């Protein structure tokens, strides 16, 4: 009888330890359930790219965010409003739950304790990140001279998409109602993109296609959505909960094959996914 009671106490203690180990990042024990019942993903789609503003702070589960990415298994993913430690957790779940192994490069332009945690004297990095199934080289991180209400910038890497080398940019322009600031940022970004014959530029531009501040980008690249261009009159798919097109996959020297916008409950921005003709 004493032995049985001791066994029950031990079992209860182990359950508490398991819950503590899982922690708040997995909602309602989702990590344990999904680790047993998740469908395996064989491999990434080699010519597929994705951009996604993660929404911060939005208190969403990293397990759920990883599941959204794994559903489409892109070759490269560019995320914005990203904390370094959050991306690390998402990347870890992609590997452990789905067998998807991504390299990662970070482009933080801000240290922010309220958004990203960490010690008050050493807050977490906040900005952009790129996950790629292929290795990345020649990373650069550039902070725009004027970030507007919050420091903003772009990052760039060289990697492979569809087996071909390409320069990949990821950016987040200034918040809405800061048109003049975004115009300056777009000029800085476009000047760098123009140096490359083949480039992919993804990110949250916080501007609709007809916005004047995007003129430098339209002058040298096209969006993967065939309905999106400076004179769009309604055929362009929206990418946010407030029914605006803010998220783009711009292509220079590369052709699009498919484009789609997938709604997600885990951010106020949708997932923008495109497959590219890399021949």
């Amino acid at each position: 009888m004493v032995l049985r009671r001791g066994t029950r106490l031990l079992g209860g203690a182990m359950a508490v330890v398991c819950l503590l180990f899982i922690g708040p990042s997995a909602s309602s024990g989702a990590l344990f359930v999904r680790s047993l019942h998740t469908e395996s993903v064989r491999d990434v789609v080699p010519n597929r790219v994705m951009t996604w503003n993660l929404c911060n702070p939005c208190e969403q589960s990293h397990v759920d965010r990883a599941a959204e990415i794994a559903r489409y298994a892109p070759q490269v993913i560019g995320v914005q409003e990203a904390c370094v430690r959050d991306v690390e957790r998402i990347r870890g779940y992609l590997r452990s739950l789905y067998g998807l192994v991504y390299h990662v490069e970070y482009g933080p332009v801000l240290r922010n304790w309220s958004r990203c945690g960490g010690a008050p004297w050493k807050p977490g990095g906040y900005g952009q990140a790129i996950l790629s199934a292929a290795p990345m080289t020649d990373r650069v991180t550039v902070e725009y001279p004027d970030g507007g209400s919050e420091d903003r910038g772009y990052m760039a890497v060289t990697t492979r998409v569809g087996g071909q080398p390409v320069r990949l940019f990821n950016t987040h322009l200034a918040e809405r109602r800061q048109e003049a600031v975004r115009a300056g940022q777009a000029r800085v970004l476009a000047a760098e993109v123009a140096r490359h014959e083949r480039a992919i530029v993804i990110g949250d531009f916080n501007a609709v296609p007809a916005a004047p501040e995007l003129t430098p980008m339209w002058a040298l690249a096209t969006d993967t959505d065939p309905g999106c261009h400076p004179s769009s009159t309604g055929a362009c798919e929206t990418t946010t909960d407030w029914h605006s097109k803010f998220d783009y996959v711009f292509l220079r020297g590369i052709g699009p094959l498919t484009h789609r916008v997938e709604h997600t409950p885990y951010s106020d921005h949708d997932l923008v996914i495109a497959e590219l003709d890399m021949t």
Side-chain angles (χ1 to χ4, degrees):
M1 187 173 179
V2 172
L3 178 62
R4 283 199 302 270
R5 189 171 73 172
T7 301
R8 287 197 299 270
L9 288 173
L10 177 61
M14 290 299 294
V16 170
V17 169
C18 287
L19 287 174
L20 289 173
F21 177 75
I22 291 171
S25 63
S27 56
S28 303
L31 174 59
F32 178 71
V33 173
R34 291 177 190 217
S35 65
L36 294 179
H37 301 289
T38 298
E39 230 178 87
S40 295
V41 176
R42 284 188 175 182
D43 206 350
V44 299
V45 181
N47 66 334
R48 181 176 292 169
V49 301
M50 173 192 291
T51 183
W52 191 16
N53 183 315
L54 295 177
C55 184
N56 182 300
C58 282
E59 302 298 327
Q60 295 294 340
S61 162
H62 302 312
V63 177
D64 292 329
R65 285 170 165 168
E68 290 287 78
I69 293 170
R71 183 173 294 118
Y72 306 103
Q75 171 76 15
V76 295
I77 311 113
V79 291
Q80 305 86 42
E81 296 196 22
C83 294
V84 170
R85 68 175 187 171
D86 291 345
V87 174
E88 277 301 304
R89 290 170 180 169
I90 292 169
R91 182 171 169 244
Y93 290 135
L94 285 167
R95 180 169 189 157
S96 63
L97 299 183
Y98 302 97
L100 292 169
V101 179
Y102 287 102
H103 303 269
V104 65
E105 292 287 354
Y106 296 101
V109 294
L110 182 65
R111 296 283 170 179
N112 193 304
W113 181 82
S114 63
R115 285 185 185 268
C116 297
W121 57 90
K122 191 178 180 182
Y126 174 76
Q128 289 79 244
I130 294 174
L131 287 79
S132 173
M136 292 174 277
T137 60
D138 304 317
R139 179 186 67 88
V140 299
T141 299
V142 176
E143 184 175 342
Y144 293 123
D146 184 357
S149 56
E150 180 179 85
D151 294 345
R152 294 288 166 91
Y154 73 82
M155 64 178 297
V157 301
T158 298
T159 188
R160 287 185 174 269
V161 175
Q164 299 299 316
V166 66
R167 194 63 172 165
L168 175 68
F169 295 80
N170 183 15
T171 192
H172 188 190
L173 299 193
E175 295 175 346
R176 289 178 288 174
R177 296 180 294 278
Q178 298 181 65
E179 293 84 355
V181 175
R182 286 197 301 275
Q185 294 172 347
R187 286 193 295 270
V188 170
L189 176 62
E192 182 59 29
V193 174
R195 297 178 58 245
H196 303 273
E197 292 183 4
R198 289 163 60 88
I200 303 169
V201 187
I202 58 182
D204 175 5
F205 286 74
N206 269 317
V208 297
E213 58 264 36
L214 292 190
T215 300
M217 288 303 304
W218 289 119
L220 54 84
T222 57
D223 186 50
T224 55
D225 185 342
C228 287
H229 43 78
S231 59
S232 296
T233 57
C236 186
E237 286 191 79
T238 62
T239 66
T240 66
D241 286 356
W242 48 94
H243 307 296
S244 294
K245 160 79 172 180
F246 280 0
D247 305 272
Y248 297 80
V249 178
F250 281 114
L251 303 178
R252 176 173 170 80
I254 300 168
L257 291 176
T258 66
H259 171 93
R260 66 178 182 264
V261 177
E262 296 289 347
H263 179 70
T264 173
Y266 305 115
S267 174
D268 54 0
H269 286 252
D270 299 325
L271 293 83
V272 179
I273 306 157
E275 293 176 11
L276 311 181
D277 181 1
M278 301 301 297
T279 58

